[in-house]
Structures are given as C-alpha cells and as structure tokens.
C-alpha cells in the first residue's frame, strides 16, 4: 500500500532516531455534523496538510508519525488513515488524499468523547515508533452526550506524556468551547483552537497543526 510505512531495517532506525511527534487526528462525525460540514472538515484537514507552510514545518521537524480516525458514538470509531511516517511532500500529499477521499462510516450517532479519547490512547499504544512527543488532536462541535466523560478516559487509559488539544467549532449549545477548555484538553502545553464554523475549519486546523509540529521541532532540538 502506498501509504504504508515500512518500519524495518535501516529505514525504521533512521525514522526512529528523528521522530519528534506522534499525532492522532480524531475527527467528529456525530449526528450534529451534517453532510456539508463533514465535507468541509475532511477537505479542510486535507488542504491544511497540503499547505506549503505545514509541509515545510513537517519536513523541517524531521518528519512526524500520524494517523486519523473518525468518531461519534460509543463504538463508532473508524480508521481514516493508518499510521504513516510523514517526511516528504509525497508522503504528506498521499496522507492528505487518503483523508479527503474517506467515505463517512456513520452519521446517526451521538457524541461519545470519552470513548473517542480511549480509542486514541489505544492507537498511540500501537504506534510503530516511539516519538519525543505524543499529541491527540481532537476536533468537535459539541459536548459529550453518550457514554463516559473525558475525565473517566483519563483515569482509565494511559495518558502519561500525552497532550490532548482541541479544535472546536463554536455555535452549539451547551458551549463546546468552554467544555473543551474545562473537560477535554489535557497534558503539558494543551490548548484549544477555535473555528467560527465549519467553513473556518481549514484555517483553524492550519494554526493548530503549526503549533503542534513546531513543538515537535523544538523537542528534537533540545
């Protein structure tokens, strides 16, 4: 598979020696996200990844390890793109193409953020490389309304040395921005990036990715 990274032999050793960031991209497809908003989210993330500044930051950082999944209800987590070591324009464009081409798995389930975070922790435990920093980049437009809360996920899964950042699309009630700031973000340097609506998602994602990737570059320089 074109996207698959062969973590073996010299290639794996070279990647392992300079991996500054493991990044999980968790994408909200709960029932509050309609078809047009889903398209804006997926195409916005893909375009953000293809952006010249983002690509340059990834390459300058020596590459990052990334994967993506969609989430909604308690048991509705679907792989979007597998773990891939991004270190060249070709890698990044292929990863972005995979995200943009993803066919939505579910559209009728509520918002189970705790389960999404637990799934992210499991994916990180299975990552091919051990990187200097680990980040879960969770996007959403609402608060938990099914299953356990984020605090329960943090108590029951291994989130040691994991930072959870939020990209929140504002506008719903209860206020998701306040909720993400109080209940979702977690770990060292965690922050919330806000999009005014789904049409602003791409710009917000660019800002968010740049902060996360530049943090990887700084950690590798230490």
């Amino acid at each position: 598979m074109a996207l698959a990274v062969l973590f073996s032999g010299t290639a794996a050793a070279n990647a392992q020696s300079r991996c500054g960031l493991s990044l999980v991209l968790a994408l909200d497809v709960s029932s509050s996200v309609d078809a047009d908003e889903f398209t804006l989210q997926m195409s916005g993330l893909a375009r953000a990844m293809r952006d010249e500044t983002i690509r340059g930051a990834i390459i300058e950082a020596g590459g990052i390890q990334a994967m993506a999944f969609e989430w909604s209800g308690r048991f509705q987590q679907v792989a979007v793109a597998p773990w891939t070591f991004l270190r060249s324009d070709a890698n990044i464009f292929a990863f972005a193409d995979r995200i943009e081409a993803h066919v939505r798995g579910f559209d009728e389930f509520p918002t189970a953020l705790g389960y999404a975070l637990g799934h992210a922790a499991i994916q990180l435990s299975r990552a091919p490389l051990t990187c200097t920093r680990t980040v879960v980049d969770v996007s959403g437009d609402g608060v938990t309304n099914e299953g356990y809360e984020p605090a329960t996920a943090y108590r029951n899964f291994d989130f040691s040395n994991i930072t959870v950042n939020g990209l929140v699309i504002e506008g719903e009630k209860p206020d998701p921005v306040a909720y993400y700031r109080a209940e979702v973000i977690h770990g060292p340097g965690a922050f919330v990036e806000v999009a005014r609506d789904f049409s602003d998602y791409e710009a917000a994602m660019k800002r968010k990715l740049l902060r996360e990737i530049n943090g990887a570059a700084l950690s590798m320089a230490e």
Side-chain angles (χ1 to χ4, degrees), residues 37-111:
E37 291 168 340
F38 171 78
T39 299
L40 286 169
Q41 180 175 204
M42 304 307 282
S43 61
L45 173 56
R47 286 195 298 268
M49 293 294 298
R50 297 186 192 112
D51 180 79
E52 182 178 5
T53 302
I54 301 301
R55 287 186 287 112
I58 291 172
I59 294 168
E60 180 67 23
I64 68 170
Q65 175 180 239
M67 64 86 65
F69 71 92
E70 67 164 67
W71 63 273
S72 53
R74 290 179 295 166
F75 307 114
Q76 286 70 47
Q77 298 95 30
V78 178
V80 173
W83 280 116
T84 309
F85 191 68
L86 307 175
R87 55 181 162 187
S88 69
D89 283 347
N91 298 144
I92 298 165
F93 277 113
F95 188 78
D97 290 348
R98 179 69 172 260
I99 290 168
E100 191 161 37
H102 175 69
V103 176
R104 185 173 185 168
F106 299 98
D107 63 6
E108 72 273 30
F109 288 89
T111 303

Side-chain angles (χ1 to χ4, degrees), residues 102-144:
H102 175 69
V103 176
R104 185 173 185 168
F106 299 98
D107 63 6
E108 72 273 30
F109 288 89
T111 303
L113 250 169
Y115 280 79
L117 291 168
H119 185 76
I122 292 168
Q123 299 312 302
L124 279 166
S125 74
R126 297 171 179 171
L129 301 178
T130 301
C131 301
T132 307
R133 295 175 61 247
T134 52
V135 172
V136 177
D137 185 332
V138 59
S139 301
D141 72 342
V143 307
T144 298

Side-chain angles (χ1 to χ4, degrees), residues 164 166 168 170 175-186 190-194:
V164 179
V168 186
E170 62 183 358
D175 179 17
V177 177
Y179 180 79
Y180 268 68
R181 286 178 175 151
E183 306 292 340
V184 179
I185 61 171
H186 178 84
F191 66 91
V192 170
E193 190 69 59
V194 179

Side-chain angles (χ1 to χ4, degrees), residues 196-213:
R196 296 184 304 277
D197 51 35
F198 278 92
S199 66
D200 188 39
Y201 186 92
E202 178 184 349
M205 180 58 77
K206 286 179 185 176
R207 296 191 299 269
K208 190 165 187 286
L209 286 172
L210 199 58
R211 288 180 67 175
E212 292 163 341
I213 297 161

Side-chain angles (χ1 to χ4, degrees), residues 138-160:
V138 59
S139 301
D141 72 342
V143 307
T144 298
N145 55 24
E146 181 179 68
Y148 51 77
E149 292 284 343
T152 301
Y154 295 138
R155 285 195 301 269
N156 289 279
F157 292 88
D158 184 8
F159 276 87
S160 56

